[in-house]
Amino acid sequence: MSGYAAVLRHVEAELAAGRLTVGAQLPAERRLAEDLGVSRPTVREAIRVLQALGVVRSGVGSGPDAGTTVIADPAGGIAAALRLHLATRRLPMADLVATRALIEGAAVRAAARAPGHPDLDLAEDLLARMDEPGIDADTYHQLDADFHVALTRAAGNAVNTAVMTALRDAIHHTVLHAVASLPDWPRTAARLRREHRAVLRAVRAGDGERAAALVVRHIEGFHREWTRRVSPG
């Protein structure tokens, strides 16, 4: 193994063995280069990859935030990869929507088994903020995306939550572009709010099957609506 891949494999091994933990700092570039027998530019290249993956954060200067610190942001790395692959058009948007529906359907079923979860209270608050008069489409969709992530997080599956957060970040601008093409956004927004509340009511009532059916219909229905506007015929 040569190049930055050796550095990545080393960091992976250190994390897996527990010798590196979240909040700890990587050794200095010089030491890593010497220990692994690679150049310092190679180490810097590896660190840039780790940053893109959401594994580390680099700071400059001499204070407590200086150096390269291990963080935990799996969604950031997944979102970056999804955005790039969406840009190549090798990942069809329809497939991402289907994945989202699959994850959220399972998530609300699980969330319905714990209807008192704090993230459901957060979801209620987000819905209230979406009801504010004069809310613009960008703010609305940030709140909308946060609502769906909160529902997923209430199910307690960290992997699903990371993937949902990544999907939210990856498709945000695509959704905004689609919204701009809708003939009557306020009417669409009012319908989406009703659908959100119906999903949350079903979760709060402990009816996981109804919640799953509603959230899948909600996701797929909005996708069909904006797809017709972006690609008519």
Side-chain angles (χ1 to χ4, degrees):
M1 185 181 300
S2 60
Y4 72 87
V7 183
L8 298 181
R9 185 62 59 86
H10 170 76
V11 172
E12 178 187 350
E14 293 295 285
L15 288 167
R19 291 185 290 270
L20 266 179
T21 57
V22 173
Q25 288 196 334
L26 294 186
E29 284 182 10
R30 183 191 301 275
R31 179 179 164 190
L32 275 175
E34 291 174 351
D35 288 350
L36 299 176
V38 298
S39 67
R40 290 182 67 178
T42 295
V43 172
R44 284 193 290 272
E45 183 180 6
I47 288 172
R48 284 193 291 269
V49 172
L50 290 169
Q51 285 178 296
L53 292 173
V55 176
V56 302
R57 178 184 62 243
S58 292
V60 297
S62 57
D65 294 328
T68 303
T69 305
V70 178
I71 61 173
D73 182 24
I78 298 169
L82 286 175
R83 282 195 301 271
L84 287 169
H85 286 290
L86 278 171
T88 69
R89 305 188 187 281
R90 299 298 294 174
L91 280 182
M93 180 61 68
D95 289 356
L96 264 68
V97 170
T99 298
R100 179 183 167 190
L102 183 67
I103 291 172
E104 285 201 63
V108 294
R109 282 192 192 93
R113 295 195 287 270
H117 195 284
D119 276 305
L120 298 180
D121 296 334
L122 172 60
E124 294 271 13
D125 178 64
L126 290 165
L127 289 183
R129 292 168 63 188
M130 277 187 263
D131 284 337
E132 293 177 3
I135 186 171
D136 61 87
D138 193 353
T139 302
Y140 178 93
H141 278 287
Q142 290 285 0
L143 295 170
D144 183 321
D146 289 344
F147 168 80
H148 285 276
V149 171
L151 288 182
T152 305
R153 193 165 50 238
N157 185 309
V159 175
N160 283 349
T161 300
V163 173
M164 268 301 302
T165 303
L167 286 170
R168 171 197 67 184
D169 295 343
I171 67 176
H172 178 71
H173 291 295
T174 301
V175 171
L176 283 181
H177 173 71
V179 164
S181 71
L182 296 177
D184 190 352
W185 164 242
R187 181 179 179 181
T188 298
R191 190 196 79 240
L192 294 177
R193 286 196 296 270
R194 290 194 299 271
E195 292 173 359
H196 288 147
R197 292 196 178 281
V199 171
L200 188 55
R201 279 197 302 271
V203 173
R204 290 289 206 187
D207 191 344
E209 291 305 315
R210 176 168 173 76
L214 288 171
V215 82
V216 170
R217 187 185 310 160
H218 166 74
I219 293 166
E220 293 179 345
F222 181 62
H223 178 245
R224 283 194 299 271
E225 180 177 2
W226 65 257
T227 298
R228 285 196 299 267
R229 302 303 304 181
V230 174
S231 305

